[in-house]
Amino acid sequence: MADEAKKKVPHKKLPKQIYQALEYVVGKRWISEKRSLVETYSKLSIEGMTYVRKHMRDAAALPACVVLPNSTEEVQGVVRVCNRFGVPFIPFTNGQVFCGTTNAEPTVIIHMSRMNRIINIDADTMVATLESYVDYAQLQAEAMKLGLWNGGTPLATSLCKLSSQFAFAGLWQTDLKYGLLNRNIISVKMVLPDGEILETGTRCLPGAGDFWEYGPGPDLMGLQRGGAGSNGIVTEISVKLHPWVGGTELPEVPAGRPSLADVHDPAYDSPLPPDNHRLYWIEFKDLETEIKTMREISHSGIAIGLNATGVYSAYYCSQTQEMTWERCKNKFFPDYNCYVIIAGITSARQIEYEEKVLKIIVERNGGTFLSEEYKPEVLEALKPWNLDCIRHTSGFRMNRKMYASAWLPVGPFEVGKKTQQFWNDALNAFGQCDITDRGGADDTPFIYALQRGRFSFAETDNYPDPTNPQEITKAAGFGIYGMARLVKEKVCPCLMAFLNVEPLVTMFPEVGPNQHLLFQKIRKVFDPKSVNAPGRQVWTEEEWKNTPPQLKGMVNAMRQMVGLDKVE
Amino acid sequence: MVLIRTKVSPMTIKKDDKKVFERELEDYRDQVWGCARCNWCQNQWGWSVKSAEFSEICPAFHEYRFFPYSGMGKMHIARAILEGDFDYEDAPELAEFIYTCTTCGACEMNCQRLQDKEPLKVNEALRARLVRDGIGPMPAHQTLIKSVKHYDNPWMQPRSQRDKWAKKIILKDVSKEKAETLFFVGCTTALDSTMTGVARNTARLLLAAGVDLGTLGKDEICCGSPIARVGDRETFIALAKRNADILNKTGARKIVTSCPGCYRALLHDYPEVPGAAPIEADILHTVEYLDLLISHGRLILANEIPMRVTWHDPCHLGRHCGIYDAPRNILKAIPGIEFIEKERNRDQSWCCGGGGGARTAFPEFAAKTAEKLIHEAKTTTGADAIVTCCPFCEINIGDILRRSGDSMKLFNLVDLVAQAAGVNEK
């Protein structure tokens, strides 16, 4: 079967004694070290370097085995076995972003797929408690039956697990009103890297209830959150719920359901918004006007969501890749736009009032609403957002090629302008992987208005060919360049993924400054055996020493390219 | 009566020139490298999720919880095999992962919608590769293949049994005289004693509606669908070519079949077989034809059937071929029937577990999948009965109901229509 010229990729297993100890914890059915099974946990998504490692036939990318615990106690048991034998472990849900890559040591993947229960929804305190594998769509579906919802879903889709998003930030389309996931977490139950169990918030006192994020003493959840999961495994998460007036379930698409025979028909992608919700699309002449209007809308206090979509509409609202390319080429969607989600939470008159305010602001700034009279075909094409803005589903259309690196700088709305400028510079320096990489350069980056416009995120991404390692490496270069440029220009890049993952933590000592030194100390406290998710957030000194010089060289080259000193 | 619906083969969406049954695993290289792990191959389309309990859609992942059982897992395994990362000797478990799939197509439905990728076709290409290399299919499938080779049906029945179901019904023999409509009965409906009533009721209904009907009698041969699904392309291609010639020789203008497997094979698989003659007749599933006959007043459903029912969409009829409305229209046209949708329905329907060779090779998995379907039908509809129109679904679900002594009833839609029309078997 194997091409004669290619060498097989060997699979390093755990010693029998360790495997049996793990098997004792989870039971024989729920552990496996089969070669083809571990393969499916070895190439992650949106993590270009795992693709490159696959191209390089790196045996270390394969985990030793996969375990499926069914309770916090079983997770604790697995973690304790790993500590006893000094075996690294990596918690895993979908495997989309930065689950952490295996290193040279045989590593245990703790896949949380059996911990998929909604433990409780308390309609009185408006708190939902979930196990690690519960996703946004599941939570929304159950909460909506009670007239509640969690406040939004990420563009990485409603299939994301809230426990995984705890590790980073959890960015939603409705951040304008509800903030990111991190503003909506009440508590977590975690298995720490040494096997201890931590419960945060008011639930830290058994029986006291689970309604407030602060318990006595320092904010331990704050210490864990955003750490790329390096300080433990979330087995339960409690989140805030909010009033929902859109009905007990999302409306059916008027055209009905597709089959494999007509799956790409846009009619099936054209839902109406939920009851008591409206979506407005506004076009602007340039980025300045777009940003100015977005700021005014945010500060006015209206709406639950406000975002500029740019090239993302070309992906999300196109039923095929060919259509995406065509629309990018022909500039089918406005270069500068935003959408506004208005909800009549208190009454229908709330929509009337907010619509009036919105129209005044838009008119004042010279924006134009898309309507039946103005670009109706564009408005029609944008219909997937009618439901996606509440429960995002089509996000992975951007991955039809490969989604290799993302910039997510955060700051006042002007961060969108800086992102556009820096992204243009990057494209000029490296060249594009795909026509869609131009999104954010020739048009608006995706701009999320956050927390009533106090600040925003501006996102740009690139899309190499997954079969081409050179192109993926180039795309990864984009990511590192972006980090270097943002640090150099003093634009905060840190809330999302990249600066939480090595080598970018250690190689950007400007952040903190020297935050990696503090992270190392914290890791020593929580993870004395250095077994939890190696490479996430911070390396130990020894891991740093073992970092391939090529990787350090690549980061240093980018640092020097933007005028930062080399890191030794 | 004119059919106004346009049928588009799902395979024609593909951009390359190769037909599906000539595509090798290598032809999917871009796709398998490009799997983004979005995981929608395991879950219901996000907008359709109505509860946490019924939010998943891949029967195999739901049961086993490890990724190789999912569409995504198969993509990753295919990538590794293509690149030679491991060999069969390293992975004796491989066939089990590849064949624990009911080919329900839910993964492909969602992946096509999001990523333009085809995890089911990748898995079928993997199966073909395993068969080519002597690793597949599963031992239990060998009997089925041998039977098709020796008897032209997968159930080890002599050819002489094929038309036994029709003893008391006068039908044209299309080898002797022309008929406008050919009833392609299908092996299971013709040969399984629990299903032959459906064949008779189908014939009675069509004759009652004045359809000029004939059959191939003993000369009908297997459509090859079960063989195609387990990856024996050589046998399937030969069958498809033979069948296309036989069917075209009849000169029938319509071919009606009771089996969604046959329907999908004739409608979508045969055009993807290199060298097979195009079938000249319109191909219809029984429920489509009955829906037309009822709506045109050629069948009158006068008898009341007081019952609360739900519909189970057979995967090969619904998700694969887009026949969602016809059976619902019929149920709504039967007096006394109260129709309630299951939570997961149409493109997001939960598979019964009986297809793709899963029931043959992994009966326990197939049984558990059917149990989950029955549970969903009960908890989300409160129905007295599940109605469907696929022999594989009916046998698989029926087994569980009988075994458990469950009060839930199971009907083939054709039998209900026959009862309502007063032409059913007494």
Side-chain angles (χ1 to χ4, degrees):
Chain A
M1 166 175 75
D3 186 328
E4 287 301 315
K6 287 175 180 171
K7 270 172 67 180
K8 290 196 285 185
V9 179
H11 175 216
K12 209 188 263 188
K13 294 182 179 178
L14 290 173
K16 204 173 176 188
Q17 178 195 13
I18 304 175
Y19 187 87
Q20 283 172 339
L22 293 168
E23 189 178 271
Y24 182 76
V25 175
V26 294
K28 200 169 182 161
R29 182 179 170 187
W30 304 113
I31 180 168
S32 179
E33 57 180 358
K34 291 172 178 165
R35 175 62 182 86
S36 59
L37 183 143
V38 297
E39 180 66 41
T40 65
Y41 293 81
S42 67
K43 180 172 76 64
L44 311 179
S45 160
I46 323 177
E47 163 67 276
M49 292 319 287
T50 70
Y51 281 68
V52 173
R53 289 175 74 183
K54 279 294 176 192
H55 283 291
M56 292 166 62
R57 317 180 69 72
D58 178 1
L62 287 171
C65 69
V66 181
V67 295
L68 310 187
N70 195 32
S71 65
T72 300
E73 290 68 31
E74 286 190 6
V75 174
Q76 184 180 40
V78 170
V79 167
R80 284 190 167 151
V81 169
C82 290
N83 268 272
R84 194 185 338 146
F85 293 102
V87 176
F89 59 86
I90 296 174
F92 210 96
T93 52
N94 291 352
Q96 286 176 0
V97 186
F98 303 107
C99 298
T101 47
T102 50
N103 62 15
E105 299 298 317
T107 300
V108 175
I109 295 288
I110 304 175
H111 188 195
M112 311 302 280
S113 62
R114 292 172 69 208
M115 295 184 64
N116 58 352
R117 291 154 287 228
I118 292 179
I119 296 167
N120 186 43
I121 295 182
D122 187 326
D124 183 29
T125 57
M126 297 197 290
V127 173
T129 304
L130 325 165
E131 286 189 330
S132 340
Y133 213 68
V134 174
D135 62 49
Y136 281 95
Q138 292 167 333
L139 169 61
Q140 280 197 355
E142 293 301 331
M144 283 175 179
K145 291 176 190 166
L146 304 170
L148 297 167
W149 77 313
N150 72 302
T153 62
L155 295 178
T157 85
S158 51
L159 200 45
C160 289
K161 279 49 177 176
L162 288 87
S163 65
S164 298
Q165 291 226 312
F166 170 84
F168 294 106
L171 196 52
W172 304 339
Q173 307 93 290
T174 42
D175 292 321
L176 177 70
K177 176 176 168 66
Y178 298 104
L180 294 82
L181 172 68
N182 66 353
R183 301 263 294 193
N184 287 276
I185 301 169
I186 295 289
S187 69
V188 287
K189 187 175 191 179
M190 293 180 79
V191 175
L192 299 177
D194 62 355
E196 290 297 316
I197 292 176
L198 170 69
E199 295 198 58
T200 67
T202 49
R203 72 183 277 169
C204 71
L205 175 63
D210 187 12
F211 49 85
W212 192 29
E213 53 267 50
Y214 297 108
D219 179 7
L220 291 171
M221 184 166 72
L223 190 63
Q224 307 293 339
R225 195 206 58 72
S230 61
N231 290 332
I233 302 170
V234 176
T235 56
E236 289 179 21
I237 183 167
S238 295
V239 294
K240 292 176 191 170
L241 299 175
H242 309 274
W244 167 255
V245 292
T248 53
E249 50 197 52
L250 295 185
E252 284 287 331
V253 177
R257 304 283 189 86
S259 73
L260 282 168
D262 57 9
V263 64
H264 292 120
D265 186 335
Y268 300 115
D269 235 13
S270 303
L272 299 171
D275 290 347
N276 300 307
H277 287 76
R278 282 194 200 162
L279 202 68
Y280 304 84
W281 286 93
I282 307 150
E283 181 178 347
F284 304 97
K285 65 177 191 299
D286 54 34
L287 188 56
E288 278 74 22
T289 321
E290 176 190 295
I291 284 174
K292 183 170 180 289
T293 314
M294 287 180 78
R295 177 185 279 111
E296 285 183 31
I297 295 168
S298 303
H299 289 185
S300 72
I302 64 163
I304 63 169
L306 167 64
N307 305 299
T309 59
V311 76
Y312 296 80
S313 284
Y315 320 123
Y316 299 162
C317 302
S318 298
Q319 288 74 38
T320 63
Q321 180 73 70
E322 285 69 27
M323 201 188 278
T324 300
W325 283 325
E326 191 65 25
R327 284 173 165 178
C328 282
K329 215 165 79 184
N330 297 334
K331 299 261 173 199
F332 178 79
F333 292 105
D335 284 343
Y336 299 102
N337 67 37
C338 71
Y339 71 83
V340 180
I341 315 162
I342 288 180
I345 297 168
T346 53
S347 72
R349 290 190 63 196
Q350 184 181 356
I351 296 181
E352 281 174 40
Y353 164 75
E354 293 195 9
E355 188 180 278
K356 243 181 234 176
V357 176
L358 177 64
K359 283 181 174 167
I360 292 167
I361 295 170
V362 170
E363 193 180 331
R364 190 161 65 210
N365 287 290
T368 310
F369 284 93
L370 302 191
S371 67
E372 290 307 317
E373 289 74 42
Y374 183 68
K375 297 192 177 177
E377 71 290 355
V378 179
L379 190 61
E380 180 67 25
L382 287 164
K383 276 187 173 171
W385 282 106
N386 281 338
L387 290 187
D388 267 0
C389 72
I390 298 297
R391 187 183 295 168
H392 196 69
T393 301
S394 62
F396 270 73
R397 284 178 176 162
M398 70 197 286
N399 281 348
R400 286 175 180 130
K401 269 188 93 184
M402 185 194 159
Y403 171 30
S405 71
W407 290 10
L408 283 145
V410 58
F413 277 105
E414 277 66 24
V415 77
K417 283 195 234 171
K418 289 182 181 168
T419 304
Q420 190 181 58
Q421 182 198 331
F422 303 160
W423 190 250
N424 252 312
D425 292 347
L427 284 169
N428 289 335
F430 303 109
Q432 68 190 39
C433 297
D434 189 274
I435 185 175
T436 48
D437 291 2
R438 303 269 341 150
D442 301 337
D443 53 16
T444 182
F446 195 108
I447 299 176
Y448 303 75
L450 296 160
Q451 297 175 19
R452 289 284 164 229
R454 286 181 169 82
F455 61 100
S456 67
F457 269 106
E459 180 172 355
T460 47
D461 308 274
N462 57 7
Y463 306 92
D465 173 357
T467 63
N468 182 337
Q470 287 76 30
E471 221 180 61
I472 303 167
T473 308
K474 181 169 90 176
F478 258 79
I480 298 169
Y481 170 86
M483 204 50 55
R485 185 74 187 269
L486 295 173
V487 168
K488 169 71 178 170
E489 307 275 359
K490 305 202 185 308
V491 176
C492 186
C494 64
L495 194 54
M496 286 297 281
F498 294 104
L499 267 192
N500 305 62
V501 180
E502 290 287 24
L504 302 180
V505 180
T506 300
M507 294 198 72
F508 286 93
E510 294 84 355
V511 182
N514 288 317
Q515 67 173 14
H516 63 291
L517 299 177
L518 181 62
F519 289 163
Q520 281 177 357
K521 286 181 189 165
I522 293 171
R523 182 167 172 194
K524 269 183 194 160
V525 172
F526 284 100
D527 186 11
K529 299 247 173 102
S530 299
V531 286
N532 184 15
R536 291 242 288 212
Q537 190 168 33
V538 75
W539 275 322
T540 60
E541 283 172 30
E542 196 185 337
E543 285 166 345
W544 171 244
K545 272 183 213 153
N546 293 332
T547 306
Q550 301 93 317
L551 188 55
K552 291 179 185 171
M554 189 173 174
V555 180
N556 269 329
M558 297 298 171
R559 286 182 60 90
Q560 289 176 305
M561 192 172 167
V562 302
L564 295 171
D565 293 335
K566 261 175 83 172
V567 171
E568 296 303 332
Chain B
M1 194 162 37
V2 179
L3 284 176
I4 49 169
R5 190 168 39 78
T6 308
K7 289 173 180 174
V8 183
S9 165
M11 321 310 182
T12 59
I13 293 161
K14 196 75 182 75
K15 306 100 197 167
D16 63 44
D17 294 331
K18 276 191 183 172
K19 294 196 169 196
V20 170
F21 289 95
E22 59 186 342
R23 279 188 223 152
E24 300 291 338
L25 203 52
E26 285 74 6
D27 294 308
Y28 296 97
R29 187 166 185 267
D30 284 358
Q31 290 197 34
V32 298
W33 268 101
C35 169
R37 298 193 82 103
C38 68
N39 286 249
W40 283 114
C41 54
Q42 297 143 35
N43 283 53
Q44 275 205 80
W45 187 251
W47 301 342
S48 308
V49 175
K50 294 180 172 63
S51 73
E53 183 177 8
F54 301 115
S55 61
E56 294 190 12
I57 200 158
C58 172
F61 182 74
H62 191 270
E63 179 59 25
Y64 298 102
R65 312 306 293 171
F66 286 107
F67 281 139
Y69 291 96
S70 69
M72 177 261 279
K74 310 284 194 309
M75 300 284 266
H76 286 241
I77 287 171
R79 189 212 61 79
I81 288 175
L82 273 176
E83 301 303 334
D85 286 7
F86 63 82
D87 216 328
Y88 297 134
E89 66 197 36
D90 305 317
E93 73 283 354
L94 189 61
E96 186 202 323
F97 292 144
I98 303 308
Y99 282 98
T100 315
C101 165
T102 63
T103 68
C104 76
C107 56
E108 185 132 320
M109 181 75 235
N110 291 350
C111 194
Q112 277 276 296
R113 206 165 173 189
L114 274 177
Q115 292 232 309
D116 309 349
K117 295 187 175 70
E118 301 162 307
L120 175 58
K121 288 194 195 71
V122 168
N123 196 36
E124 292 199 334
L126 270 168
R127 288 180 174 192
R129 169 75 69 109
L130 295 192
V131 170
R132 188 199 73 184
D133 294 346
I135 304 296
M138 300 302 288
H141 296 139
Q142 297 291 3
T143 317
L144 184 147
I145 293 170
K146 272 186 202 157
S147 175
V148 170
K149 284 180 176 169
H150 292 136
Y151 302 108
D152 285 329
N153 71 72
W155 308 126
M156 302 290 267
Q157 298 284 319
R159 288 179 187 86
S160 57
Q161 295 296 302
R162 166 84 62 175
D163 63 349
K164 205 175 157 193
W165 65 270
K167 263 190 176 167
K168 292 177 189 165
I169 302 173
I170 299 163
L171 288 165
K172 284 186 179 174
D173 177 348
V174 294
S175 61
K176 295 179 185 144
E177 56 180 326
K178 293 251 183 242
E180 185 180 297
T181 301
L182 170 69
F183 179 25
F184 189 88
V185 190
C187 301
T188 311
T189 312
L191 294 164
D192 187 301
S193 60
T194 63
M195 296 303 304
T196 49
V198 174
R200 280 189 290 276
N201 277 336
T202 304
R204 285 196 185 101
L205 281 165
L206 297 181
L207 291 172
V211 173
D212 177 21
L213 192 68
T215 69
L216 285 158
K218 292 185 180 68
D219 295 335
E220 184 181 297
I221 61 169
C222 178
C223 70
S225 172
I227 307 300
R229 303 284 83 83
V230 300
D232 184 349
R233 283 187 174 176
E234 197 184 322
T235 308
F236 172 67
I237 288 170
L239 269 173
K241 286 180 180 171
R242 243 177 97 196
N243 243 325
D245 291 342
I246 292 169
L247 294 171
N248 284 340
K249 264 187 207 155
T250 66
R253 291 176 59 196
K254 291 190 188 76
I255 298 170
V256 183
T257 180
S258 296
C259 172
C262 300
Y263 179 64
R264 189 213 129 123
L266 298 177
L267 187 67
H268 291 317
D269 288 332
Y270 283 18
E272 294 297 329
V273 171
I279 292 182
E280 288 150 14
D282 279 339
I283 297 154
L284 297 163
H285 187 270
T286 315
V287 297
E288 284 181 285
Y289 204 16
L290 292 177
D291 183 32
L292 280 167
L293 294 170
I294 293 164
S295 65
H296 284 75
R298 286 172 60 180
L299 270 178
I300 308 295
L301 308 186
N303 295 339
E304 197 166 313
I305 305 177
M307 192 162 48
R308 179 187 278 205
V309 304
T310 190
W311 173 251
H312 165 61
D313 289 284
C315 301
H316 287 111
L317 186 71
R319 201 155 26 225
H320 289 245
C321 296
I323 308 297
Y324 300 129
D325 291 330
R328 288 170 171 81
N329 294 340
I330 296 171
L331 282 171
K332 287 170 189 168
I334 298 175
I337 290 267
E338 185 188 349
F339 170 65
I340 305 162
E341 283 286 8
K342 279 194 281 108
E343 186 170 306
R344 287 174 292 193
N345 56 66
R346 296 175 185 251
D347 65 318
Q348 301 297 312
S349 188
W350 177 258
C351 172
C352 79
R359 181 179 150 86
T360 310
F362 305 100
E364 275 185 38
F365 161 60
K368 282 184 180 173
T369 306
E371 279 168 15
K372 290 167 189 171
L373 185 148
I374 295 163
H375 170 66
E376 181 188 357
K378 281 182 167 176
T379 53
T380 67
T381 71
D384 309 316
I386 298 169
V387 185
T388 190
C389 64
C390 167
F392 288 89
C393 299
E394 207 174 327
I395 290 169
N396 198 42
I397 299 167
D399 270 3
I400 300 304
L401 290 174
R402 271 190 296 278
R403 208 184 296 168
S404 63
D406 201 297
S407 60
M408 176 71 84
K409 295 184 186 71
L410 177 69
F411 292 98
N412 190 299
L413 181 57
V414 169
D415 293 340
L416 288 184
V417 176
Q419 193 182 331
V423 300
N424 57 314
E425 218 164 34
K426 298 292 185 290

